[in-house]
């Protein structure tokens, strides 16, 4: 099954380090970052999970729940979590799905057989409060992800939802943003009373609204 942007994220029930999780019920009205890693007791995954645990307050601040996954058993997750705390200096503070029967990885297409026919790749799904898939990123097993980039992309998505702006290349918090092309100049005058810099009729730069 291929999940694409705009699709409704499939619901599931699976074991996790926080007990059985029914996804929709667990997510509630929050956004979710669901991410897979290839295997427990592997080096890149160990660093990733430590980093996500360290920056979890950044996800909390944005109203986002985090949930990890690999096709391992619960006992392995629990033993590995102790290694992560020992080596990364932080306890894993979000649930890890023990997807040993591949329920979730199959539903979300996290196993790419031509890369590896049994292990998940490094998938990231950002799912909004309406359960709509808003961002999909796929990395190979040997490349650790940049979770600061995932936060940056979430900030962009939430700015678009709340203020009808898009974010330009390499945008970071505090930089100018772009008025969405779907917003007419008449609407823009109400939304951005301080005005904007119209470089072209389709390229209207404005200060980030929520500073
Ligand atoms: C890792 O997480 O370190 C890893 C997993 C599978 C292949 C290569 C690296």
């Amino acid at each position: 099954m291929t999940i694409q942007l705009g699709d409704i994220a499939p619901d599931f029930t699976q074991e996790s380090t926080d007990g059985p999780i029914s996804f929709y019920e667990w997510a509630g009205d929050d956004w979710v970052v669901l991410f897979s890693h290839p295997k427990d007791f592997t080096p890149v995954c160990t660093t990733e999970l430590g980093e996500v645990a360290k920056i979890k307050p950044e996800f909390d601040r944005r109203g986002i729940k985090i949930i990890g996954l690999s096709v391992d058993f619960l006992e392995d997750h629990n033993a590995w979590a102790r290694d992560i705390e020992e080596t990364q200096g932080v306890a894993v503070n979000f649930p890890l799905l023990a997807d040993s029967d591949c329920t979730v990885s199959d539903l979300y297409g996290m196993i790419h057989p031509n890369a590896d026919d049994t292990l998940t790749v490094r998938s990231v799904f950002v799912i909004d409060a309406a359960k709509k898939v808003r961002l999909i990123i796929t990395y190979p097993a040997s490349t650790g992800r940049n979770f600061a980039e995932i936060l940056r992309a979430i900030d962009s998505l939430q700015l678009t939802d709340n203020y009808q702006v898009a974010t330009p290349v390499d945008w970071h918090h505090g930089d100018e943003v772009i008025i969405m092309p779907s917003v007419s100049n008449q609407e823009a005058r109400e939304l951005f009373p301080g005005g904007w810099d119209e470089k072209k009729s389709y390229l209207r730069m404005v200060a980030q609204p929520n500073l």
Side-chain angles (χ1 to χ4, degrees):
M1 169 162 180
T2 305
I3 295 182
Q4 299 185 322
L5 298 186
D7 289 354
I8 295 300
D11 196 13
F12 58 81
T13 300
Q14 185 56 287
E15 283 298 331
S16 88
T17 47
D18 287 3
I21 283 186
S22 290
F23 182 58
Y24 278 17
E25 194 183 323
W26 174 83
D29 293 329
D30 290 326
W31 286 46
V32 171
V33 171
L34 167 64
F35 69 102
S36 58
H37 55 269
K39 194 156 182 52
D40 291 0
F41 304 107
T42 50
V44 177
C45 301
T46 300
T47 61
E48 282 194 334
L49 268 65
E51 175 63 12
V52 175
K54 280 180 201 154
I55 64 170
K56 182 167 174 292
E58 290 296 323
F59 289 96
D60 293 341
R61 217 159 55 73
R62 292 162 173 82
I64 293 163
K65 288 181 174 144
I66 307 169
I67 188 162
L69 170 153
S70 66
V71 291
D72 290 287
F73 291 94
L74 191 54
E75 311 84 73
D76 289 331
H77 277 354
N78 287 329
W80 183 41
R82 291 192 285 277
D83 287 1
I84 294 170
E85 183 165 6
E86 180 190 326
T87 62
Q88 306 304 302
V90 60
V92 178
N93 48 13
F94 52 90
L96 293 178
L97 292 165
D99 197 39
S100 55
D101 62 2
C102 299
T103 299
V104 184
S105 7
D106 283 347
L107 260 180
Y108 280 78
M110 292 166 164
I111 294 175
H112 295 196
N114 292 328
D116 189 303
D117 56 7
T118 53
L119 305 180
T120 48
V121 293
R122 295 187 194 281
S123 296
V124 182
F125 292 89
V126 175
I127 297 161
D128 71 15
K131 308 289 178 291
K132 194 180 275 193
V133 175
R134 300 293 299 275
L135 176 73
I136 302 171
I137 305 176
T138 308
Y139 270 47
S142 53
T143 304
R145 285 159 285 201
N146 182 332
F147 285 89
E149 166 59 11
I150 292 165
L151 284 168
R152 190 193 73 91
I154 289 169
D155 283 346
S156 171
L157 286 167
Q158 295 188 338
L159 270 173
T160 302
D161 284 6
N162 295 328
Y163 300 100
Q164 299 199 58
V165 293
T167 55
V169 60
D170 291 339
W171 171 84
H172 282 94
H173 182 79
D175 294 347
E176 280 190 321
V177 295
I178 295 169
I179 300 172
M180 287 284 280
S182 53
V183 175
S184 67
N185 276 350
Q186 191 181 336
E187 289 168 309
R189 275 189 281 278
E190 283 176 28
L191 290 169
F192 310 103
W196 59 86
D197 175 14
E198 188 157 320
K199 295 186 182 300
K200 289 282 177 191
S201 59
Y202 57 84
L203 180 56
R204 296 167 295 174
M205 306 302 297
V206 70
Q208 183 182 324
N210 63 338
L211 291 178

